[in-house]
């Protein structure tokens, strides 16, 4: 097995000194362009990887961003990771994946690990609402961007999707299609997204004369709970808006079993545009989650690199409607 | 804003010297147990994070593993990441997420970044089959575990799921339920998983007298292609085995439109146990993907930490059947 190339090998092959190679790699502005080009060609040819020594170490070490998520296997967070990964890669940063598994202690341990590893900054989709944990990280001077959550810009940057607008979009579409009675099948309103989406639904209903909005709340936002809610409907409304796609799939199943046609008898809109929505041909609200992940990285790196010139932003993305068979 | 605690603060609060604090953190075996306990309590109380200086640097720096995946937003890879993340966390390693976006050049750049950052090792679910890229990484002396792929143990460790067994499991279930004619709706057989699952299906069919297995191949493994395949079936078989869940959802839709009841007229089994399978109430083959991700990390760390005592393994996981309404 050939040994990896050393800086001496590069210098010998290029016919320059070791310190010239080092300058080409670290301070190329000090070296004439022809030499830079020649040395970089040899570096590529020999597949030489600089050792992160005293000088290069800080830079190599620092070019890493922590991404703290409650569950990487949840498609919402996986899409944040995809957007964040694309953006970090474009900027030459590594992304340290911290999957907290919905465990606040583990999340806190990740924060300590990131600080110990001198991460440049952290993007966190925070679990629960314990501001102490985030405050602790901020006190350590680590730039921090909140994802899927807003916060006062005095405290730092955040990126989120406008859930009020999403709820309004869904119900406005149903009302424009002629529905007058709309049932909202919602999760617990302690979940910020549920409260926001319902608020948007109310706003849209108030804009249309004769529109009647009712709500049922399910304990969890699953297919099963949607199914139960669908079976429990006494008088079928013109339309149902479910605040996530799993609830909508369950409602669809219940209505179909009861002999009610979707969209013929009842029009149905979900939320999230998960795989399930495509599978069940649901009209739904799509969130630009990859954009949110990418924006989080961009805001973070602006804070890291611009220092005092950086201005905190609360960036809010607009959702869009994906129209499928359940509510054309 | 209070400044972060320094090692001097810890020493003063614990009433010991700075070098004792350093020993507690780096070489605790040299310090008596009472002092270790006292110092660690102060470290926790002051929220002190050691600076990775000359001595600690290598260790802090090295405790990172690269995870190279074609697409983090694909639920199969997201579940690998979840399992890998859990295992890395247990061992105190950071996980550097490298989402290659199905781009071989980007994958190669990630390899260079991981080498430059002196990652302890790499777990890679390799895109395509260019052995040159992997060989290049291996030549640099970076321990490497392949995920979702087998390789000769002479070359290194790998973790995978037994797709032949999965195909056999699916078709054996259909045959045990009384089906005799089974149609396999498969993706292109250049995809190793498709070839393996079909091979397993053939093995199961050969074990049952009178069983007839046919195959149709779709260009892509999507709901749409499954739907087309379902419409194109001339004589309905007793059962259909689709080599992924998206194909099965499409076949289900086509059969239902044609007035064929599932499972009454045609029994249907998918593969993968994606969210879509739960939504469509599909019987399907579940792969222990999280276990695979965790095993990849364990094998890698054994190689990193045990050095010459490490023995390469090709660990193969068995899939299982999840029975739902489409084929009880």
């Amino acid at each position: 097995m050939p040994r990896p190339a050393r800086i001496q090998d590069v210098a010998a092959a290029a016919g320059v000194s070791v310190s010239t190679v080092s300058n080409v790699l670290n301070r190329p502005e000090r070296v004439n362009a022809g030499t830079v080009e020649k040395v970089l060609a040899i570096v590529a040819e020999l597949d030489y990887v600089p050792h992160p020594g005293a000088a290069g170490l800080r830079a190599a070490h620092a070019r890493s961003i922590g991404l703290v998520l409650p569950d990487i296997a949840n498609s919402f967070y996986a899409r944040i990771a995809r957007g964040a990964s694309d953006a970090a890669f474009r900027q030459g940063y590594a992304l340290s994946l911290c999957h907290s598994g919905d465990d606040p202690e583990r999340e806190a341990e990740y924060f300590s690990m990131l600080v110990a590893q001198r991460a440049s900054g952290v993007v966190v989709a925070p679990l629960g609402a314990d501001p102490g944990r985030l405050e602790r990280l901020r006190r350590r001077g680590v730039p921090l961007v909140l994802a899927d959550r807003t916060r006062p810009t005095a405290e730092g940057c955040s990126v989120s999707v406008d859930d009020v607008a999403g709820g309004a979009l869904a119900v406005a579409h149903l009302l424009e299609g002629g529905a007058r009675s709309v049932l909202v099948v919602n999760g617990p309103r302690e979940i910020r997204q549920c409260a926001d989406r319902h608020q948007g639904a109310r706003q849209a209903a108030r804009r249309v004369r004769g529109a009647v909005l009712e709500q049922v709340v399910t304990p969890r936002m699953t297919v099963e709970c949607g199914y139960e809610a669908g079976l429990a409907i006494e008088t079928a409304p013109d339309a149902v808006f479910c605040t996530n796609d799993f609830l909508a799939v369950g409602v669809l199943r219940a209505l179909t079993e009861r002999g009610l046609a979707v969209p013929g008898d009842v029009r149905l809109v979900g939320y999230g545009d998960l795989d399930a929505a495509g599978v069940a041909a649901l009209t739904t609200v799509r969130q630009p989650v990859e954009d949110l992940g990418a924006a989080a990285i961009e805001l973070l790196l602006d804070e890291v690199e611009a220092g005092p010139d950086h201005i905190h932003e609360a960036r809010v993305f607009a959702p869009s409607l994906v129209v499928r068979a359940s509510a054309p």
Side-chain angles (χ1 to χ4, degrees), chain A:
Chain A
M1 187 187 295
R3 65 169 170 75
R6 295 169 311 166
I7 193 167
Q8 290 84 350
D9 303 327
V10 175
V16 300
S17 70
V18 164
S19 69
T20 298
V21 176
S22 172
N23 278 333
V24 165
L25 295 172
N26 297 303
R27 292 166 292 272
E29 67 282 1
R30 297 192 189 179
V31 187
N32 79 59
T35 305
V36 169
E37 197 177 315
K38 182 171 66 180
V39 169
L40 289 182
I42 301 287
V43 163
E45 190 183 311
L46 297 184
D47 205 15
Y48 168 66
V49 177
H51 190 283
L57 192 52
R58 210 193 120 63
H61 207 176
R63 293 181 75 81
S64 159
I65 296 168
L67 177 65
V68 183
L69 301 172
D71 183 5
I72 184 61
N74 171 310
S75 79
F76 182 82
Y77 296 115
R79 288 175 58 205
I80 289 184
R82 177 157 63 181
S85 173
D86 286 346
F89 179 75
R90 281 195 298 272
Q91 305 287 327
Y93 280 75
L95 200 63
S96 191
L97 175 67
C98 304
H99 158 89
S100 70
D102 272 338
D103 175 352
E105 280 185 35
R106 182 162 162 186
E107 189 184 274
E109 283 191 56
Y110 270 128
F111 288 160
S112 297
M113 182 191 274
L114 291 167
V115 170
Q117 296 195 334
R118 295 289 185 269
S120 300
V122 179
V123 171
V124 55
L127 191 71
D130 174 4
R133 291 205 313 280
L134 298 177
E135 177 54 32
R136 184 157 167 268
L137 192 67
R138 198 157 69 94
R139 231 173 45 209
R140 288 167 165 182
V142 178
L144 175 71
V145 172
L146 287 194
D148 193 32
R149 188 73 60 96
T150 52
R151 64 170 167 169
T153 51
E155 291 178 13
C157 289
S158 61
V159 294
S160 59
V161 182
D162 188 339
D163 283 284
V164 176
L169 205 56
V171 170
H173 175 74
L174 292 168
L175 297 172
E176 280 160 21
R180 281 302 166 267
S181 57
V182 177
L183 177 68
V184 181
V185 178
N186 203 359
R189 63 174 294 118
E190 292 71 45
I191 299 176
R192 195 263 306 153
Q193 285 84 346
C194 293
D196 283 1
R197 290 167 194 175
H198 186 225
Q199 174 149 324
R202 289 197 308 273
Q203 291 177 358
R206 271 196 296 272
R207 280 182 222 123
V208 175
R209 177 190 287 266
V212 177
L213 197 74
E214 300 208 344
Q215 182 189 211
V216 296
V217 172
T218 63
R220 279 162 301 114
M221 299 177 78
T222 60
V223 173
E224 292 67 31
C225 286
Y227 179 74
E228 295 298 327
L231 291 183
I233 294 172
E234 292 197 0
T235 308
D238 298 337
V240 176
F241 166 46
C242 296
T243 55
N244 89 352
D245 287 334
F246 291 123
L247 287 173
V249 165
V251 167
L252 176 62
R253 193 174 295 165
L255 294 178
T256 305
E257 276 187 25
R258 292 172 61 173
L260 290 163
V262 173
D265 298 313
V266 180
R267 292 150 61 83
L268 178 64
V269 173
Y271 205 107
D273 200 23
L274 308 178
D275 278 349
V279 165
L282 285 180
T283 293
T284 187
V285 177
R286 182 170 176 85
Q287 309 182 87
V289 184
E290 282 86 354
D291 294 348
L292 183 145
I297 297 293
E298 284 156 19
L299 289 172
L300 184 70
L301 291 182
D302 190 66
E303 186 167 350
V304 168
E305 292 171 1
D309 289 339
H310 169 78
I311 295 167
H312 293 321
E313 284 179 50
R315 205 174 286 183
V316 179
F317 288 83
S320 57
L321 197 73
V322 180
V323 177
R324 298 199 185 89
S326 74

